[in-house]
Amino acid sequence: LAPAFRVPRVVDTTGAGDAFLGGFVAAALDAGGIAAVCADAGALRAAVEFGAAAGALTATAPGAIDAQPSRERVVAMLQGRNQ
């Protein structure tokens, strides 16, 4: 559905799945909710990409909580991919 993100160095994958899910849900809510995202392939892909970026960023730092990225960091990663 969406390609994975490459990161310079994976430090710890603890919390990456949680970050993916949190990012996906946040993007889905921003797009109008889960039902709205499931009805629109573009919105679904965008939500999956947001979650994937959040998970990738989480793997670049140690720990589960402190490694969780901010929305701004996720958006910056997405913008870097789309340039």
Side-chain angles (χ1 to χ4, degrees):
L1 186 60
F5 285 86
R6 292 196 179 272
V7 294
R9 181 171 175 252
V10 173
V11 174
D12 184 358
T13 61
T14 304
D18 297 318
F20 170 82
L21 183 58
F24 174 81
V25 170
L29 291 173
D30 286 347
I34 298 294
V37 167
C38 290
D40 179 353
L44 178 60
R45 181 181 174 98
V48 169
E49 286 181 343
F50 195 91
L57 286 168
T58 299
T60 65
I65 303 299
D66 292 339
Q68 298 297 309
S70 66
R71 178 181 291 269
E72 292 78 18
R73 285 189 65 212
V74 175
V75 169
M77 183 175 222
L78 290 168
Q79 288 173 341
R81 171 181 261 185
N82 295 326
Q83 291 179 349

